[in-house]
Amino acid sequence: MCGIVGYVGSKSALDILLEGLTNLEYRGYDSAGIAVNVEGKVELYKAEGKLQNLKNITTAKKEHIEKSTIGIGHIRWATHGAPNTVNAHPHSCNCGRVAVVHNGIIENYKELRVKLEKDGCVFKSQTDTETVAHLVAKKYAQTKDLTEAVRLATKEIEGAYALAVIHQDVKNTIVATRRNAPLLVGIGENEYYVASDVPAIIKYTKNAMYLDDNQIVTLTPSSMKLIDIDGNSISQKIETLPWEPVALSKMGYKHFMLKEIHEQPDVVRNVLSGKLRAIDEKVILNEVTLNRESLKNLNRIQIVACGTSLHAAMVGKYIIEELCDIPVDVEPSSEYIYRKTVGDKNTLVIGVSQSGETADTITAVRQAKSRGSHILIVTNRPDSTMAREADSLVPVNAGIEVSVAATKSYMAQVISFYLLAIYIAEIKDSASKSILEKIKRELIILPQKLEKVLSHKDDVQICARKFANSKDFIFIARGINFPTALEGALKLKEISYINATGYTAGELKHGPIAMLDESMPVLAILMKGKVYDKILSNAEEAKARNARMIALTDSEDVKLDDLFESIIRVPEVDETLSPALAIVPLQLLAYYIAEFLGKDVDQPRNLAKSVTVE
Ligand code: M6R
């Protein structure tokens, strides 16, 4: 959360910074700001709220600001201090010569602030970041060297940070550094970029260098110097970024979320590509580096994740336990890290994360790693911090996901779990060939079924309109689709702000049923299989309490018409694979309700796409 961007070169920095921030807006949108150096003077421009507010301010002074060929920018997801203009980055020191943008949290900012105030620093904001600006200014006054000033400052600050700093007295220079927060440098011709994430710079260059923790980079239009925290020079590893700028376009869809929902059939094809070639061939998962013996000896699996990734992990638990006979625990990373967890070298720990930058999950996998467990990371970002912790790295290849509400990355994670479970089962010989072949067959034809679901999206839209004004929503399911109910409810909450909850259908009668009346929609995920009849009975119970009933089903049974006010039908699917199909209408339902209510679908309030604070 929070995104930073910087540019130094010969072009005007303004448009590059604003474009970069636009493509980082998924990381936060509480405020935005830039610092530029116009005719030898550092100037700050900041605005509360969406980036558009900053754009309005800078447009009014465009002719002036665009003279600067250097600048840093920031998009904020507030942690310390209210989301107002004063707390917006960049932050500065007493004399206004330093400007700092920061992603992360300075944990010892209170102590630092007390010391700095004693030294005469006057704080304007409530942020942790302002301490860095004053500290760098102080160190610069002592050393007259910006790189050294930043290096000495980072020796005193604790916590997580990606920082970019400019100083009025050091022309055409950006100094940037990181610890436990992502940062990369884009390399152009006689120009450099710095950013929290690839989308900010991909339009300009595909050559980049990822910083490691405690590295400090000094950029001028003609040079890039990299040192460690002790001041030693280190060699630079330049990489070619795998993304294409087109990934950042809505391709004619009204929102990124809708585009990403529609990409799911291709996402499934991508995930399966090269891994599942035919029904009668074994799954190939070279990314898993555990040898066959170790896989056979696994006595438990722990999966840690947050939010939507946690729901994908829950589907993973069902499949792995079903096919591999290994007990699987799934836990929110934020809980896992604050208790004694039991595990050893025969415990496989799987971290699941779209961004690979979720602080809680990074801490959880590090904790498990220190105890000797093998760490397998399932992520959409093989270039992320979490990926670097992996013993086995399984990239899910969903392509860049811009909408804050995760959709296609969930699909890719779920499909990756099917592959992983089949892979382990084939090594352990823990499931029959016919069962595995049935799942493989379903996986291969899943993209066509998803396309069919998407081609009937108008039915979902009609249902969405009918229920859009509900205050609350209940989703019920059993077994492998319980995570689908949770994920459907999460999607609705996130983007429409309707209070939605997923329950196991059997639990309804143990309390939640008290909430039911004629104003409460209850959506039953009624996929054919072991628990179909049971869920149907639970739906009857809810109907008897006058709830407004909706079914999501692959059954053609006409009797359902009497019980349900609305029915969303999907193609018939094997129960084991049903979560991958059933989630899509729920994503669409959330989308259409939010859109109907006029909500900001791609950037829902209070959220950020990657949560880099614990
Ligand atoms: O990047 P991650 O998958 O680790 O992110 C975890 C959650 O923050 C994320 O899934 C969040 O719940 C999304 N907004 C879901 O749409």
Side-chain angles (χ1 to χ4, degrees), residues 306-309 352-356 358 404-406 490-491 494 609 611:
C306 304
T308 288
S309 297
V352 191
S353 174
Q354 188 287 128
S355 63
T358 300
V404 167
L490 178 64
K491 284 289 89 76
E494 281 189 296
K609 186 134 187 90
V611 184

Side-chain angles (χ1 to χ4, degrees), residues 104-115:
I105 290 181
I106 308 298
E107 282 166 5
N108 60 338
Y109 80 100
K110 282 193 183 139
E111 300 94 89
L112 287 174
R113 185 170 171 148
V114 170
K115 273 200 226 156

Side-chain angles (χ1 to χ4, degrees), residues 505 508-509 513 516 536-546:
L508 205 60
K509 57 186 173 295
I513 202 165
L516 303 189
L536 203 53
S537 306
N538 300 135
E540 297 272 10
E541 289 155 15
K543 170 88 172 174
R545 272 79 185 176
N546 297 323

